[in-house]
Amino acid sequence: MSQDDLARALRDVGIPGASKRLVQRWEAGTIGSPRPLHARALERVTGMPIEALGFATPVPIARVSGDGRGGHDVTSTSVGVPSEGAAATPRLAANAGARGAYSGVWLSRYEYFSSGRDATYMGLHHVVLLQHGNRLTVRSLPGSSDSPLTMDLEVDGNVVTGSWNEQTASDGYYRGARYHGAIQLLIEPTGRRMVGKWVGFGKEFDVNTGPWELVLRDASTSKATLEQYNRPAEQDGPDGRG
């Protein structure tokens, strides 16, 4: 991409002030670390993590991690570094989702405990996420799992809240049973990962909960991209990469 091309692509994903001059300042090292919102846009445009883009100083972004007490916190992953005149403290992009920036193909991964088998299992799906304002609709690709999954969510700043619904495979352990419940996730400021908890009922109608995360795989929803990910999600590694 030329500098003009990169600036244009950044504007297309919701950075209206992106210019060739800004790109030049990044490349020259005049700005050693981009703002968190700009870092997120750069990841989205280049398809690479911000850590791999060659900035001279750590980017002051945040990640969602377990707090050791069953919940999740948003915590800084680097020493605070002033970026483009901004404060060093990581800032949540409260309005980042207003322009449809979350649409794409995501890896959905959740864990659940099976009392009948006395073991913990993982549910994996490739899902298509479409954003309309602050509403997110999530539908699994038919070839990614034999248990179709849907989610209807709402974005409020960096918090996602909504419901989930899964129809288990008719020839599987749960013999076609339908399960549903609630979910709440925290969005990492890069916009590439959402992490939180699900709540739902079990076979004996007891209320259960467990971890759930969505990891961005591709920002495109083109026919070619959907065909690429219309395959079993078990082929993805533990970090969400193929």
Side-chain angles (χ1 to χ4, degrees), residues 107-113 120-125 127 145-151 164-169 174 179 183 185 194 196-199 209-214:
L107 172 66
S108 168
R109 177 168 49 209
Y110 66 84
E111 292 182 6
Y112 65 97
F113 180 77
T120 298
Y121 292 86
M122 183 176 294
L124 295 168
H125 298 78
V127 300
S145 173
D146 54 6
S147 298
L149 170 72
T150 64
M151 303 167 73
W164 61 270
N165 188 314
E166 184 171 2
Q167 183 73 44
T168 62
Y174 294 102
Y179 291 95
I183 186 171
L185 307 168
M194 307 180 188
K197 296 285 188 179
W198 61 266
V199 177
T209 187
W212 200 321
E213 71 173 346
L214 297 173

Side-chain angles (χ1 to χ4, degrees), residues 1-7 10 19-34 42 46 53-56 84:
M1 299 175 103
S2 69
Q3 293 172 341
D4 282 324
D5 290 338
L6 179 56
L10 291 170
S19 64
K20 179 179 179 179
R21 176 58 180 158
L22 176 60
V23 174
Q24 290 173 336
R25 295 175 72 192
W26 285 335
E27 291 184 351
T30 305
I31 297 174
S33 180
L42 282 166
T46 64
L53 295 183
F55 286 99
E84 301 178 38

Side-chain angles (χ1 to χ4, degrees), residues 122-206:
M122 183 176 294
L124 295 168
H125 298 78
H126 285 135
V127 300
V128 180
L129 187 156
L130 298 177
Q131 180 172 1
H132 306 279
N134 66 339
R135 307 291 297 184
L136 307 179
T137 60
V138 179
R139 303 292 183 265
S140 62
L141 290 168
S144 73
S145 173
D146 54 6
S147 298
L149 170 72
T150 64
M151 303 167 73
D152 293 295
L153 309 170
E154 182 174 339
V155 179
D156 182 6
N158 283 75
V159 179
V160 174
T161 305
S163 61
W164 61 270
N165 188 314
E166 184 171 2
Q167 183 73 44
T168 62
S170 59
D171 58 351
Y173 179 79
Y174 294 102
R175 300 186 181 278
R178 172 180 169 269
Y179 291 95
H180 57 91
I183 186 171
Q184 191 161 61
L185 307 168
L186 295 176
I187 307 172
E188 289 187 346
T190 61
R192 298 175 62 88
R193 184 168 173 257
M194 307 180 188
V195 186
K197 296 285 188 179
W198 61 266
V199 177
F201 63 90
K203 289 177 64 177
E204 300 176 357
F205 293 97
D206 50 338

Side-chain angles (χ1 to χ4, degrees), residues 13 39-48 100-104 192 216 219:
V13 297
R40 174 178 177 232
L42 282 166
E43 288 191 328
R44 188 170 182 84
V45 168
T46 64
M48 298 175 64
Y102 298 123
S103 294
R192 298 175 62 88
L216 181 64

